[in-house]
């Protein structure tokens, strides 16, 4: 779901991003029978803070920084969502993104309300020390306003922020609330050594892979587009080799046996119908400063043209609004996996659907990040690494079972075979295994729910995803006994 025009600073403007999210919401709500009052409550942004603070630059000058945090829905606590550092951050965008977080969490059954924060800066213009001062001051303001806390509102990385900023937030929170035993759970996306969970970094990309793979597993849906079921052998073009794009491409290639035929970045794009080795491309870019001139691949000077390459699956994993009414009719992909937020404009969405293209919506497909944030939050509240209590026990159990089977077999396995069986299947789950399997289950289950709604209501996947979110949030209000 995308603003077809850039978001403006108008709060509640009919043309703003938040209004566009609400229009999408209303289109989906028309397929439900909830009371208008309930729909109004779900749609409304429950709370928002806006503040400005001074920050001392390294050269002694002072900048005044504008910042926001929106808590869109308190139907579940805490609220959850990233903090972005970008020069175009504004109140309308923050509210829209917070609303999308509410719907995203509901779709994948992550028990949080939605939130989003924003600091209006171009992070590249600030030194690490300046960014640390900004992040700590921003956190301090959130604490004073009760807009952060393990049971209140839990930030995470977003555009322009990462694990380093999350560690500063956690440290500031802990320093100021030193009696809070659960201080680690005040923010997610932290470095693993600071209470982060293994697998969070690649979680969004991994979630994109699981979501696209689930879509490809339905033979009937694939048949309609003239494709075979399954991810293996599917040709894929990825736009953006950042965190999400890179991990999506790598995991699709390594675990899904997909063929990555095209990769686009800011400097241009490369295409090889026989497949590009994703890690080799990253290494080539690291050493030469560009993905262009990758051995064996064809250069495409205009990066955006990569979206029009022949492929089965197109994954825009960079900017919003890259597929518009201008280029929609040139898109050759049969499936579009929206890894970025809002890569397809409303007009392009309609044009593509009319042509039978399967659009897997962002509000579902990039939910892997918040899903694994939920696992990190659980880890922090339980004060123990996932799998710590059970790993060795599971390992021994598997070994015991294999040895028992061996004893029950009249002719015993030879020792080498037994040892190799124990090594191959007799292991306990590590934290990474548990995180990945929890994420896989979450993405597969949510896809199937949305797909059933799509079939029942005769709508597209995006509308179905919003219907799923609306029904779940309405139910949680009903369960609280607040509304009928
Ligand atoms: N910023 C990410 C998102 O928009 C992650 C949010 C989180 O982990 O709380 O989904």
């Amino acid at each position: 779901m995308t603003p077809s025009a850039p978001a403006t600073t108008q709060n509640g403007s009919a043309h703003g991003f938040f209004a566009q999210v609400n229009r999408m919401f209303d289109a989906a709500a028309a397929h439900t029978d909830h009371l208008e009052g309930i729909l109004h409550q779900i749609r409304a942004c429950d709370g928002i803070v806006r503040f400005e603070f001074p920050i001392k630059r390294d050269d002694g000058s002072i900048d005044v920084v504008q910042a926001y945090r929106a808590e869109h829905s308190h139907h579940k606590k805490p609220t959850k969502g990233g903090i972005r550092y970008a020069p175009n951050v504004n109140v309308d965008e923050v509210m829209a993104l917070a609303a999308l977080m509410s719907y995203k969490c509901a779709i994948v059954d992550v028990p949080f309300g939605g939130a989003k924060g924003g600091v209006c800066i171009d992070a590249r213009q600030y030194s690490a020390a300046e960014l640390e001062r900004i992040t700590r001051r921003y956190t301090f303001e959130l604490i004073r306003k009760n807009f952060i806390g393990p049971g209140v509102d839990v930030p995470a990385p977003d555009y322009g922020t990462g694990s380093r900023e999350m560690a500063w937030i956690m440290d500031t929170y802990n320093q100021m609330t030193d009696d809070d035993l659960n201080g680690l759970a005040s923010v997610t996306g932290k470095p693993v050594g600071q209470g982060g969970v293994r697998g969070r970094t690649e979680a969004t990309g991994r979630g994109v892979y699981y979501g696209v793979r689930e879509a490809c597993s339905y033979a009937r849906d694939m048949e309609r587009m003239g494709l075979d079921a399954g991810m293996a052998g599917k040709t894929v073009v990825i736009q953006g080799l950042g965190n999400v794009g890179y991990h999506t491409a790598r995991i699709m290639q390594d675990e899904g046996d997909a063929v990555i035929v095209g990769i686009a970045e800011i400097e241009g794009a490369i295409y090889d119908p026989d497949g590009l080795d994703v890690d080799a491309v990253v290494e080539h870019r690291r050493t030469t400063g560009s993905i262009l001139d990758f051995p064996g691949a064809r250069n495409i000077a205009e990066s955006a043209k990569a979206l029009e390459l022949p492929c089965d699956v197109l994954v825009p994993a960079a900017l919003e609004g890259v597929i518009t009414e201008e280029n929609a009719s040139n898109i050759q992909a049969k499936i579009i996996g929206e890894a970025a937020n809002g890569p397809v404009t409303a007009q392009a969405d309609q044009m593509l659907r009319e042509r039978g293209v399967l659009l897997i919506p962002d509000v579902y497909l990039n939910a892997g990040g918040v899903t694994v944030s939920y696992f990190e939050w659980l880890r922090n509240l339980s004060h123990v690494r996932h799998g710590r209590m059970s790993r060795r026990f599971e390992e021994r159990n598997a070994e015991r079972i294999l040895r028992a089977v061996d004893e029950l077999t009249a002719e015993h396995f030879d020792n080498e075979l037994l040892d190799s069986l124990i090594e191959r299947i007799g292991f306990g789950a590590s934290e990474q295994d548990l995180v990945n399997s929890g994420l896989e289950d979450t993405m597969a289950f949510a896809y199937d729910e949305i797909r059933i709604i799509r079939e029942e209501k005769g709508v597209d996947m995006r509308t179905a995803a919003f219907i799923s979110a609306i029904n779940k949030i309405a139910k949680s209000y009903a369960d609280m006994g607040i509304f009928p």
Side-chain angles (χ1 to χ4, degrees):
M1 159 81 254
T2 313
S4 50
T8 67
T9 49
Q10 298 139 335
N11 180 357
S13 145
H15 309 291
F17 190 3
F18 189 40
Q20 299 227 16
V21 173
N22 285 338
R23 270 201 288 280
M24 194 61 245
F25 179 101
D26 292 342
H31 295 275
T32 71
D33 49 15
H34 304 296
L35 295 175
E36 178 48 36
I38 296 178
L39 294 171
H40 191 159
Q41 169 54 27
I42 298 173
R43 228 175 10 220
C45 182
D46 289 353
I48 179 158
V49 282
R50 171 192 172 281
F51 43 94
E52 282 173 282
F53 53 82
I55 125 102
K56 198 166 190 175
R57 303 290 308 251
D58 292 341
D59 65 4
S61 65
I62 291 183
D63 274 7
V64 177
V65 172
Q66 259 184 36
Y68 308 87
R69 181 78 181 168
E71 293 178 357
H72 170 261
S73 179
H74 290 131
H75 73 287
K76 299 242 162 151
K77 294 284 286 282
T79 50
K80 187 90 189 76
I83 296 174
R84 58 172 56 190
Y85 286 0
N88 58 343
V89 158
N90 60 71
V91 68
D92 178 68
E93 184 191 64
V94 169
M95 288 199 301
L97 292 169
L100 288 173
M101 283 309 300
S102 294
Y103 308 137
K104 196 188 289 192
C105 290
I107 288 165
V108 289
D109 290 322
V110 164
F112 297 139
K116 190 71 92 180
V119 179
C120 193
I121 53 164
D122 179 354
R124 287 166 308 183
Q125 306 300 323
Y126 291 86
S127 70
E130 290 168 338
L131 287 171
E132 178 170 359
R133 288 200 286 280
I134 292 172
T135 306
R136 288 187 183 276
R137 178 63 189 259
Y138 177 74
T139 310
F140 173 79
E141 296 291 338
L142 293 181
I143 296 169
R144 275 161 44 101
K145 294 168 173 65
N146 198 26
F147 265 68
I148 185 172
V152 178
D153 186 356
V154 181
D158 201 273
Y159 183 86
T161 59
S163 58
R164 177 183 67 170
E165 284 73 16
M166 302 307 116
W168 290 330
I169 292 174
M170 189 266 290
D171 187 52
T172 309
Y173 184 86
N174 274 340
Q175 281 177 13
M176 297 197 51
T177 57
D178 57 9
D179 58 343
D180 190 343
L181 183 63
N182 293 322
L184 271 185
S186 60
V187 60
T188 61
K190 302 179 293 291
V192 172
Q194 300 285 334
V197 77
R198 285 164 188 79
R200 175 65 183 83
T201 311
E202 66 267 35
T204 309
R206 181 168 283 282
V208 171
Y209 162 61
Y210 290 141
V212 173
R213 191 189 67 181
E214 194 62 19
C216 292
S217 73
Y218 284 96
R220 202 152 52 90
D221 295 354
M222 293 301 109
E223 225 169 78
R224 267 189 230 141
M225 298 181 288
L227 296 173
D228 291 333
M231 188 82 231
K234 290 265 180 315
T235 53
V236 181
V237 170
I238 304 266
Q239 186 197 37
L241 256 195
N243 178 276
V244 178
Y246 164 65
H247 288 294
T248 302
R250 180 183 61 80
I251 298 170
M252 278 185 169
Q253 175 187 273
D254 295 350
E255 297 181 28
D257 289 328
V259 187
I260 311 297
V261 293
I263 298 180
E265 251 301 338
I266 234 151
E267 62 271 21
I270 48 173
Y271 176 66
D272 185 346
D274 297 329
L276 299 156
D277 179 331
V278 178
D279 277 317
V281 173
V282 169
E283 183 53 24
H284 172 78
R285 189 172 196 234
R286 201 184 59 78
T287 48
T288 68
S290 165
I291 56 171
L292 295 174
D293 301 325
F294 182 72
R298 174 155 75 80
N299 282 341
I300 299 163
E302 199 187 330
S303 178
K305 283 282 167 211
L307 298 166
E308 301 170 15
L309 286 168
C311 63
D312 300 323
V313 184
L314 173 63
V315 180
L319 299 169
E320 60 188 39
V322 291
I323 301 176
T324 65
E325 55 195 324
E326 309 279 294
N327 61 359
S329 44
N330 299 334
I331 303 287
Q332 300 190 54
K334 312 266 179 25
I335 302 170
I336 298 182
E338 295 185 342
N341 276 317
V344 181
T345 65
Q347 296 89 331
D349 182 288
Q350 192 173 341
M351 289 166 71
L352 291 162
R353 272 191 282 122
E354 279 164 9
R355 278 182 29 213
V357 174
L358 174 64
L359 282 127
I360 312 177
D362 49 2
V363 70
Y364 153 74
L365 196 64
N366 64 31
V370 76
T371 301
V372 175
S373 273
Y374 170 46
F375 302 154
E376 179 174 333
W377 182 75
L378 291 174
R379 173 197 170 149
N380 297 151
L381 293 179
S382 63
H383 297 267
V384 63
R385 183 182 72 236
H386 295 299
R388 177 166 175 183
M389 307 289 281
S390 54
R391 181 179 172 140
R392 205 159 281 247
F393 181 80
E394 284 171 11
E395 203 168 293
R396 296 260 160 76
N397 234 6
E399 185 174 343
R400 272 194 289 271
I401 292 168
L402 285 169
R403 290 202 187 281
V405 171
D406 179 50
E407 265 167 43
L408 290 171
T409 318
E411 279 180 49
H412 287 268
F413 304 144
D414 76 56
N415 277 344
E416 230 171 87
L417 175 63
L418 186 60
D419 286 347
S420 97
L421 281 175
I422 290 170
E423 200 180 310
R424 267 189 293 144
I425 54 181
F427 63 89
S430 66
E431 179 166 79
Q432 178 92 60
D433 296 328
L434 292 169
V435 163
N436 291 354
S437 110
L439 177 59
E440 181 175 6
D441 188 53
T442 301
M443 295 304 294
F445 191 83
Y447 188 90
D448 300 346
E449 278 186 334
I450 298 169
R451 189 176 171 278
I452 289 170
I453 295 173
R454 180 189 73 174
E455 304 282 286
E456 278 175 8
K457 305 276 185 192
V459 293
D460 59 286
M461 286 298 279
R462 195 186 312 278
T463 308
F466 270 77
I467 295 174
S468 170
I470 293 169
N471 286 342
K472 288 179 187 179
I473 300 175
K475 180 167 187 316
S476 78
Y477 279 121
D479 289 348
M480 277 189 265
I482 293 176
F483 294 119

